[in-house]
Amino acid sequence: MSFLKSNIFSKRDKKNGGPSIEGPPRHIAIILDGNGRWAKKRGLPRTAGHAAGAETFRRIATYCKDIGVEYLTVYAFSTENWKRPEEEISAIMRLLNKYLVEACETMEKDKIRLKVLGDASILPSELRELISKTAAISKKYDGFQANVCINYGGRDEIVRAAIKYAKDFADGRAKDLTEEKFGSYLYSAGIPDPDIVIRPGGEIRLSNFLIWEAAYSELIFTDVLWPDFTSKDIDKAIAEYKSRDRRYGGIKV
Ligand code: IPE
Ligand code: IPE
Ligand code: MG
């Protein structure tokens, strides 16, 4: 499978005088999928795929920042991924730890803000400390922000937000609920909705990723496995996004 319908959309755009969406997208979200299959193809353990995937994230985050994207949100570990074998989970946690240790050392120099989205309370304590540390460093400056979703589930995020809102309502701290107000209770509070959600790895589903925030995102699916994903794949996804007609339920007059 390749980027869906790109030819049809590009033709229509040419007729309309060029791409309808100017500049880079503000927010790109990616489901980091295909690490296990990448490793299997090479006769390597799945954990080698996760290590390769972590390197890809580093490259793609830098690229997104360089081309002027403001937010990159990646799905690294879901609330459902605890179903995996113990060794695989530990290896992923070790990799996340390693990544965050390095991030603490380099993010100020590289001007990359890093936020972890998800329920950190059940993560290993060292990882929790690193998450607080990166959040504290990120508060010190503005600029590109990478959001890493760890122990994140879209439904879990919505339920937690509902519980928090209900408490605030009961305590008299919150009144009528609007979509905007509800958004302020989510992990993604203050972050604009993703313009694009990219899923590498060939599966065509969201797997519980940003189900509130992606209500009007442009979805792009590709067979490329995440460790093989390059800046060219980001360019392709952006070109596809720019050829789309975002109507938000309206019509073109
Ligand atoms: C994505 O790669 C990483 C995580 C979900 C943690 P997978 O591990 O799902 O790789 P595949 O889908 O089995 O190839
Ligand atoms: C989605 O990938 C979760 C992450 C990438 C973190 P999965 O590999 O877990 O999703 P399914 O099982 O294919 O839906
Ligand atoms: Mg997978």
Side-chain angles (χ1 to χ4, degrees):
M1 189 193 66
S2 61
F3 292 110
L4 293 173
K5 294 188 184 157
S6 53
N7 291 338
I8 304 167
F9 282 107
S10 342
K11 266 186 214 135
R12 188 205 49 218
D13 279 335
K14 266 187 209 123
K15 206 174 69 198
N16 290 345
S20 49
I21 307 164
E22 299 299 327
R26 268 190 98 184
H27 185 176
I28 295 181
I30 312 180
I31 299 173
L32 310 184
D33 198 26
N35 294 350
R37 279 162 288 161
W38 181 92
K40 196 172 174 211
K41 262 174 53 183
R42 287 163 179 74
L44 298 168
R46 291 178 58 83
T47 49
H50 296 311
E55 282 310 312
T56 304
F57 170 63
R58 215 185 295 271
R59 277 190 285 106
I60 295 297
T62 306
Y63 184 68
C64 286
K65 174 180 165 269
D66 290 349
I67 62 172
V69 170
E70 291 174 49
Y71 298 89
L72 172 71
T73 301
V74 297
Y75 201 10
F77 192 86
S78 75
T79 45
E80 288 73 38
N81 287 145
W82 298 105
K83 293 174 192 155
R84 296 191 180 201
E86 174 62 43
E87 322 88 77
E88 181 170 346
I89 295 173
S90 318
I92 293 171
M93 293 301 150
R94 274 198 302 277
L95 278 166
L96 289 168
N97 222 82
K98 180 169 169 264
Y99 182 80
L100 291 184
V101 167
E102 283 164 17
C104 286
E105 287 161 10
T106 58
M107 58 197 280
E108 273 181 278
K109 175 175 69 65
D110 297 341
K111 295 273 176 291
I112 291 186
R113 286 187 294 159
L114 195 80
K115 190 168 177 189
V116 172
L117 309 185
D119 171 25
S121 71
I122 57 164
L123 296 176
S125 61
E126 205 185 332
L127 196 52
R128 283 205 315 269
E129 276 161 34
L130 285 164
I131 290 170
S132 309
K133 202 169 161 191
T134 52
I137 300 173
S138 298
K139 280 205 188 108
K140 291 200 246 167
Y141 53 91
D142 288 330
F144 175 78
Q145 179 170 323
N147 303 306
V148 182
C149 298
I150 306 176
N151 192 24
Y152 172 90
R155 287 184 172 181
D156 184 58
E157 179 182 34
I158 292 169
V159 169
R160 280 167 194 277
I163 294 169
K164 266 201 245 161
Y165 169 76
K167 280 200 184 121
D168 279 358
F169 187 85
D171 295 346
R173 280 196 302 270
K175 282 194 176 159
D176 297 344
L177 191 57
T178 60
E179 288 183 9
E180 200 189 348
K181 182 88 197 149
F182 192 70
S184 72
Y185 284 88
L186 297 168
Y187 294 130
S188 59
I191 301 169
D193 287 342
D195 298 295
I196 316 181
V197 175
I198 306 173
R199 181 164 191 158
E203 308 294 359
I204 306 181
R205 54 177 172 255
L206 288 176
S207 300
N208 205 10
F209 185 46
L210 301 181
I211 53 178
W212 174 278
E213 298 85 345
Y216 261 108
S217 304
E218 296 299 328
L219 308 181
I220 294 178
F221 299 97
T222 167
D223 282 340
V224 176
L225 301 173
W226 173 247
D228 289 330
F229 204 88
T230 66
S231 55
K232 295 264 180 306
D233 296 301
I234 290 286
D235 292 345
K236 268 201 227 173
I238 293 177
E240 166 66 17
Y241 158 78
K242 288 193 172 205
S243 77
R244 303 255 178 111
D245 186 7
R246 302 187 89 184
R247 290 187 298 278
Y248 298 98
I251 51 164
K252 278 250 163 89
V253 283

